[in-house]
Amino acid sequence: MENERPGASTTSSNAFSFISKSWREVRDSADADLQLMKNRANSFKNLASSFDRELDNFFNSASTFSVSSIKSSPSPSGTDIDFVKKFQPKFSEFRRVYSAPEISKRVLEKWGPRARIRLDLSAIRNAIVSEVDEERDRNGIIEFDRGKRGREFWGEGEREWEPIRTLKTRLREFERKRELSVEDIFGGFKSSDFVEKVKSSLKAICKEPQDSKEVPPLDVPELLACLVRQSGPFLDYLGVRRDICDKIVEGLCSKRKEQLLLRSLSAGESTLLENDNINDELDLRLASVLQSTGHHYEGGFWTDFAKYDQSEKKRHVAIVTTASLPWMTGTAVNPLFRAAYLSKTAQQNVTLLVPWLCKSDQELVYPNNVTFSSPEEQENYIRNWLEERVGFKAGFKISFYPGKFSKERRSIIPTGDTSQFVPSKDADIAILEEPEHLNWYHHGKRWTDKFNHVVGVVHTNYLEYIKREKNGALQAFLVKHINNIVTRAYCHKVLRLSAATQDLPKSVVCNVHGVNPKFLKIGEKVAAERELGQQAFSKGAYFLGKMVWAKGYRELIDLLAKHKNDLNGLKLDVFGHGEDAHEVQSAAKRLDLNLNFQRGRDHADDSLHGYKVFINPSVSDVLCTATAEALAMGKFVICADHPSNEFFTSFPNCLTYKTSEDFVAKVKEALENEPQPLTPEQRYNLSWEAATQRFIEYSELGRVLNNKDDDAKSGRTNGKIVKKSVAMPSLNNVVDGGLAFAHYCFTGNEFLRLCTGAIPGTRDYDKQHCKDLHLPPPQVENPIYGW
């Protein structure tokens, strides 16, 4: 038995625990029910208060309605609804009873936890019915009996309610006027101010076609003329000359010219249709027909409609380049000066977009171990460098886009969509420095869709560089066609600094670069010293450039090695550093050439002022900036007779050669003579002021900035401006849009990008760029084609 006692004790303990737990559950359930009843009582109390407010509003509105609606009636009855006023005491009593503070306590004392709240409204109903019965006996207005409700409500004779009697009177009057015209009935309504405002609003929203009945539709000759003109590029491919197409269009339109003038224009008006340009006539004819139908067409098949509003007072110019200081390369320096001088006139806002490199890439690119921890720090460096040379504070904005350095291509490749770093409100005019380079792997919005005018400036002869590499001929063939595609698809106009570059679509040749004003000042100082009889040049010849084979070092070593005996007295100082520095120096040492290699430095350095002859045998440059700087300083320049040097041949101090023997003769001539001082005109032609003027002229930027493009595409009809029609997209625009879309699809695939030499992961910027430039994480979406 002693062994069983612990088990019995455990059983009793478990039973007591179960009873305690059950009691706690019952107590908690009862508390919950009581709390629920309290909440219901409070909600009922709130309902009563709400009902009270609604009744007050009802009484006020009823009184107001009675006064305003019956005031005009001749009936002697009062201005209030009596039976509504009689409701008020009963409802007040109900309100006092059921909104008392102790109602919650009474509910809790009387009803159990599961009781349902039932409100007996029979007393209220009886009170209301009794009052209504008394009112009905007195006036005969309301009867709650269903069979008689409608008849008693409307009433008869003197017993009917005054508003009802007024309504019935108006209905009888309308019945008598039903045979009158609609104009008589609604004439007053039509002439009201409200209707006039509605009509004017509708006219503003839905513009009616202007003079639609006065403009005849296009006839068959005009349609044929449009077809022939739009098919011009296709016919050109078939061998049909452009002048023949123009004659066909002229023949189709000339028969209709006089008739069009009579139909489209008022007598005595002067218009563009009166000139001899058949294309203008046809464009304005199409525009008038489209305007008469209410159709409004803004652009081509691929056009983006959300462009910068050209009606703004100041235009916006965005200059996008592929390099930045302190990397002393042409695409870093020249766009910087272009931004400074374009913003100098203050006629347009200018933004310069330069690539931002992460710290690891900066160490590979920037000389003298210069690095920046933030874009603001690099911007201060760029502005200080610029202001020291131009002598004024440039008022343009500097922005950064993410980029990565490619060791194989020795250039900076943009990452992500570069166009997105120009806000849409500023997307007016874009200047793409090296448009082919910027768009090789561009995967984003089309530049010509986002901007109103896009100008490309070609700096580099990439084909010449690529031909020097392994399998260079094949690579040059592919790059040539890729350059053609991207410049055609993303630019409206392309400027080539010289004819040394490939012939790109929509391109013209013009030197739009100037020299740093500091070099012109050095040249003026040298001229002043020579006038005083002082010796301006105390040293001989030198060469300066980035030490890579493609920058002319191969040609220089070959020329000096071939004519080492003829130029025995020549000692050439070479300034530069680069990836091929070790190989270049080793080759010169192996050939025992009299070359003195020194560290690269700024061309305006004081140590270089005393040199008289600058030798530059490079044929890979498009337009050598160092050559222009040497001419500005008043030195002799010896360069090859090559398209890249065509701009410099007009200067007397530029000595060009065609053969290696001619090179030797020019070197001896320069060393034995003194250079001629520059004339004011020659100094101006080398300046950035002149270069900016040439750029504005050849890029058609002046026409765009002055809105002359819109004026040229418009005519005047009946005193109104009518833009020339672009009803059908031209074949060129369709082809350009198709090329842009194909390029977008191609660059959207990472595998194809890698096959063509792209840096992995450059379709979108990475986390480090997000951190440095304070960018949100890129929203990477799979292309629609599902690759």
Side-chain angles (χ1 to χ4, degrees), residues 82 152 225 228 324 405 427 507-508 719:
D82 296 334
E152 294 296 335
V228 172
S324 176
F405 180 69
S507 66
V508 295

Side-chain angles (χ1 to χ4, degrees), residues 149-162:
R149 182 183 302 172
R151 184 175 64 255
E152 294 296 335
F153 177 79
W154 288 95
E156 295 179 0
E158 297 296 332
R159 300 175 60 189
E160 65 183 358
W161 191 22
E162 186 63 26

Side-chain angles (χ1 to χ4, degrees), residues 323-344:
S324 176
L325 295 179
W327 192 14
M328 298 299 295
T329 183
T331 53
V333 175
N334 291 310
L336 182 60
F337 282 110
R338 195 186 325 280
Y341 281 89
L342 278 177
S343 63
K344 186 177 181 180

Side-chain angles (χ1 to χ4, degrees), residues 60 125 257 303 423 520 562:
N60 295 332
R125 184 192 61 187
K257 183 175 181 179
T303 300
L520 292 173
K562 184 177 181 180

Side-chain angles (χ1 to χ4, degrees), residues 494-715:
V494 178
L495 301 181
R496 298 156 55 202
L497 298 179
S498 71
T501 60
Q502 68 179 93
D503 188 9
L504 296 167
K506 309 175 184 178
S507 66
V508 295
V509 176
C510 179
N511 175 22
V512 293
H513 285 176
V515 298
N516 186 336
K518 196 170 185 178
F519 294 101
L520 292 173
K521 293 180 180 179
I522 296 173
E524 294 175 358
K525 180 181 178 182
V526 170
E529 291 176 354
R530 293 181 60 183
E531 289 180 0
L532 296 176
Q534 301 177 5
Q535 184 181 3
F537 302 109
S538 58
K539 301 178 183 179
Y542 74 106
F543 175 59
L544 179 143
K546 185 179 180 180
M547 201 166 291
V548 293
W549 287 114
K551 282 294 184 180
Y553 286 89
R554 173 62 64 189
E555 291 83 357
L556 179 64
I557 289 179
D558 291 343
L559 286 171
L560 296 179
K562 184 177 181 180
H563 298 280
K564 182 168 54 173
N565 296 329
D566 298 331
L567 298 173
N568 190 22
L570 176 65
K571 181 181 179 180
L572 187 67
D573 293 334
V574 179
F575 299 89
H577 58 272
E579 294 84 352
D580 299 332
H582 178 70
E583 296 180 9
V584 171
Q585 295 177 16
S586 299
K589 185 176 181 180
R590 185 176 65 253
L591 296 172
D592 192 22
L593 300 178
N594 193 8
L595 296 179
N596 180 26
F597 291 98
Q598 299 187 39
R599 185 73 177 171
R601 63 193 65 181
D602 193 334
H603 203 176
D605 191 88
D606 294 339
S607 61
L608 301 178
H609 294 176
Y611 288 94
K612 182 172 65 171
V613 182
F614 176 72
I615 298 177
N616 182 16
S618 174
V619 293
S620 62
D621 288 319
V622 174
L623 187 81
C624 185
T625 304
T627 299
E629 293 169 349
L631 287 174
M633 289 188 287
K635 304 178 186 295
F636 274 124
V637 171
I638 298 176
C639 57
D641 186 4
H642 188 263
S644 61
N645 298 317
E646 184 177 355
F647 176 78
F648 305 124
T649 56
S650 61
F651 295 86
N653 294 334
C654 180
L655 307 178
T656 59
Y657 62 90
K658 294 184 179 180
T659 63
S660 60
E661 292 77 12
D662 195 14
F663 170 75
V664 175
K666 298 298 182 183
V667 170
K668 292 181 178 181
E669 178 185 351
L671 292 175
E672 295 173 356
N673 297 286
E674 292 294 324
Q676 300 180 18
L678 296 178
T679 64
E681 182 181 359
Q682 291 170 351
R683 284 197 297 267
Y684 176 76
N685 289 336
L686 289 171
S687 68
W688 265 104
E689 286 85 357
T692 304
Q693 290 299 322
R694 293 193 297 267
F695 177 81
I696 292 176
E697 177 183 356
Y698 282 87
S699 66
E700 302 178 358
L701 191 62
R703 174 177 56 79
V704 175
L705 291 174
N706 296 326
N707 292 322
K708 292 181 179 179
D709 186 46
D710 294 339
D711 297 338
K713 292 183 179 180
S714 63

Side-chain angles (χ1 to χ4, degrees), residues 290-314:
L290 288 175
Q291 190 176 26
S292 67
T293 61
H295 176 72
H296 185 65
Y297 188 79
E298 291 290 346
F301 184 72
W302 305 92
T303 300
D304 181 19
F305 297 97
K307 289 189 176 182
Y308 172 82
D309 186 6
Q310 300 184 26
S311 62
E312 296 287 339
K313 294 182 179 179
K314 293 189 68 173

Side-chain angles (χ1 to χ4, degrees), residues 141-170:
I141 297 177
I142 299 177
E143 176 65 47
F144 282 101
D145 180 66
R146 289 186 178 180
K148 300 179 180 180
R149 182 183 302 172
R151 184 175 64 255
E152 294 296 335
F153 177 79
W154 288 95
E156 295 179 0
E158 297 296 332
R159 300 175 60 189
E160 65 183 358
W161 191 22
E162 186 63 26
I164 302 304
R165 185 168 61 180
T166 303
L167 178 61
K168 291 169 67 175
T169 303
R170 296 293 177 87

